[in-house]
Structures are given as structure tokens and as C-alpha cells.
Amino acid sequence: MNRYTEKHIYTRKREARPGRWPLISAVGVVALAFVLLISQPLGLAWIAPTNLPVAATTATPPPVPTELPPSQEPEPPDPEFSRPDYMNGFWLSKGVEYFITGEETGEDVREQLDTALAAAAEWQMNTLLMRFPDDGNPIRNKSGTVFDPVAYIIQATDSQPLYLYGILDLHVGDGDEKWDPAVPADVTKMRALAETAAGYRFDGFAIDNYGYAAGDTGSMADRELTGPAEEYWRDCVADAIRTVKSACRAANPDAYVGLLANPVWAHRSDANPNGSPTEDFYQDYLDGHADTLAMAETQLVDFMMVKNYQST
């Protein structure tokens, strides 16, 4: 994809109409001769432009605008993404790979993270995906000070050839505890999560848990338009993802923001001929009310990584 778009300026040339100018010229010469002939007998004086009185003026020139009109403002540059040509990555999650029991001190967690990074270097991994912790529970050192595992990972990987991506969990599929994209207060939580994560020096972000759980639905309280409820919820999911992406880009214009997508958009059927030849799997489009196919086609996100836990 080209980063720059060539702009061409076309100038419309005005064409002279045949026969118009010779006629005007002839009429003008005759009229001028007539004025000169009658001016002398009537005692009229020919007033040249230099004889006209000139009034003194103190008018000041118009102020020079300090800002360009919106139509003339330069377009922002395309983002310069930081991404590998081929990803060979691993991920870390709080409660899984570190802070496993919930009773470790900061020193214990530091040792767990160092072990994971050493294994990644041995396996020649080039990308680390770290689920951004949003539970607000601090990890404390033995001295009582707070240990920030995200800040430690970023510092520890500065000297390693690793791309670092934060995984943003939107909690839409969490059932009764979900963040509902159809509820403005929950979308505010998603934006706050993105803004907090974007304060760290991640190369990019992967949005996860963006679709409703199977059999679950969203709120209808703020629905204003008529139409299928499923379409309304899909629009809400897309708007929530758009909000999260905008929050990340506001903090880092070069952030590479994508989706940690489920493997099945929809099973192939008469209603969904573009679906996959699969069955008995969770479907983003029908179960989660998330039209990930449309997100890819409209480039709502910069990339998609498929969560295929059954592959080897």
C-alpha cells in the first residue's frame, strides 16, 4: 500500500468563441471615434486617468490569516507501523504466565518474566504479545512498593530484537460481567483501557474479546433507529472497536492496531454464502454480533490475527 497519494491539479482553460472578439473590436473603434468628434464642438474636455482627483486613504491591509482554512490544511502523514515481516511470537498473561498464584511479590514476578524472556530468546521469538492487565490489582515488592510488570517488560526488551504488542481485552464476551458496546458507560471503560495502555511504549495493540458470548445480547436502551436488533449490536461492536483504535492513535499516531479475531466469521449457508465450510464453532457474525468480515473489507483495523487454538 502506498503511503503517499499523488495529487493532480487540473486547470480549466477558457476557450475563445470564434467571431466574438473581432465584432467587439470594430464596434469599440467606431464608438471611440464618435466621442472624439463630438467632444470638440461641445467644448468638452477629455479627462485622462492622471487628471482624476485622488483621495487620501489610511486603510490598512487585511490581516494575514494565521491558520489555513480546513480545506487547505495539510493531511496528517500515514502512520509508520512497527511490525515484523514474519511474526514468530508468544504472549504473556497475568495469572497464567506470571503472578500465577496471586501471592507472588514483585521480586517473584520479575523472576517469572525473566524466565519467559530467556525462553523466547532461546526459541528465537521476534514478537511478544502481552495481555494488558486492567484489573487494577497492584503487585507489590517485599518493601511494599508497587511493581509494574508492563513497564518492566518494556524496559527489559529494549535491548532485545522484540516487537511488543499489548492485548486489549474489551470484556464483551464475559457474560453477566461484560462490558456492553451498546452501553455508553461501558464504551467509556474501553476507551479508558486503551488510553492507559497507549501510555506505554507498545509497538501496537491487538483487540480481544470484542464479541458477545453465544446466546448473549446487548442492551437496547439507547437504540434510536428501527431495524433488526442484530444489526444494531453489530454497529455498536464496530463503533466500540473504532473508539479503542482512535484512543490508541491519539496517544501514538504510529500505533499498529488490529484484532485478535476468532477463527470463524460464519458457517457457510444460503444466508451467508461467504462463510467457511465449518460447523459447530462459535461464529463472530451470528453468535458474537461482530461482523469481522466487514471490518477486514473496510479496513476498520490495521491487521487481524486469528485465534486458532486447535492448530499445531
Side-chain angles (χ1 to χ4, degrees):
M1 180 178 63
N2 293 329
R3 297 193 180 277
Y4 304 98
T5 303
E6 256 186 275
K7 297 183 178 178
H8 302 278
I9 301 176
Y10 296 92
T11 303
R12 179 177 297 175
K13 297 183 179 180
R14 183 173 300 173
E15 298 180 357
R17 299 181 181 176
R20 180 180 176 186
W21 299 112
L23 175 61
I24 294 177
S25 299
V27 173
V29 171
V30 173
L32 179 60
F34 178 75
V35 170
L36 291 176
L37 288 174
I38 67 172
S39 62
Q40 297 303 325
L42 295 178
L44 299 177
W46 182 262
I47 301 178
T50 53
N51 298 348
L52 294 174
V54 179
T57 178
T58 58
T60 57
V64 178
T66 57
E67 297 182 359
L68 293 174
S71 59
Q72 299 181 21
E73 289 181 356
E75 296 181 0
D78 290 337
E80 296 286 343
F81 295 138
S82 181
R83 58 189 179 188
D85 294 330
Y86 177 82
M87 180 178 290
N88 186 23
F90 68 107
W91 71 21
L92 296 175
S93 297
K94 183 179 179 181
V96 181
E97 286 82 20
Y98 69 94
F99 202 56
I100 300 170
T101 67
E103 298 179 357
E104 298 97 327
T105 64
E107 289 81 1
D108 297 329
V109 172
R110 183 182 290 109
E111 184 177 344
Q112 292 169 343
L113 294 176
D114 287 342
T115 300
L117 292 176
E122 181 181 352
W123 298 335
Q124 298 182 342
M125 299 291 184
N126 66 0
T127 305
L128 166 59
L129 296 100
M130 187 172 193
R131 188 170 295 276
F132 189 79
D134 60 317
D135 53 14
N137 295 324
I139 301 173
R140 295 193 176 275
N141 295 309
K142 293 177 182 178
S143 61
T145 58
V146 174
F147 174 72
D148 187 341
V150 179
Y152 179 75
I153 281 289
I154 291 176
Q155 179 183 5
T157 56
D158 275 346
S159 59
Q160 297 187 25
L162 277 175
Y163 293 92
L164 187 59
Y165 292 87
I167 300 176
L168 303 180
D169 187 343
L170 301 191
H171 299 286
V172 181
D174 289 355
D176 294 338
E177 303 297 325
K178 69 175 178 290
W179 292 354
D180 190 347
V183 176
D186 287 344
V187 176
T188 299
K189 295 177 184 177
M190 299 177 192
R191 181 189 297 110
L193 170 66
E195 291 172 345
T196 303
Y200 292 85
R201 289 185 292 108
F202 285 105
D203 294 310
F205 300 94
I207 300 171
D208 190 20
N209 203 1
Y210 51 84
Y212 294 97
D216 193 11
T217 58
S219 171
M220 300 285 286
D222 292 321
R223 185 184 180 201
E224 298 178 356
L225 302 177
T226 59
E230 293 80 7
E231 290 298 327
Y232 170 70
W233 293 322
R234 289 181 190 122
D235 288 342
C236 290
V237 169
D239 287 342
I241 292 174
R242 188 177 292 107
T243 296
V244 169
K245 179 182 177 182
S246 297
C248 293
R249 283 281 175 81
N252 178 7
D254 294 326
Y256 194 40
V257 185
L259 210 63
L260 205 55
N262 294 303
V264 176
W265 168 73
H267 302 317
R268 185 174 300 163
S269 64
D270 292 339
N272 299 304
N274 292 326
S276 56
T278 52
E279 58 184 14
D280 299 331
F281 283 98
Y282 174 90
Q283 303 170 82
D284 262 342
Y285 185 70
L286 297 177
D287 296 323
H289 306 299
D291 194 350
T292 47
L293 178 60
M295 295 177 196
E297 291 175 342
T298 60
Q299 298 182 0
L300 176 62
V301 291
D302 301 321
F303 66 91
M304 284 191 179
M305 276 189 267
V306 179
K307 294 188 297 183
N308 188 2
Y309 298 126
Q310 298 189 13
S311 66
T312 56

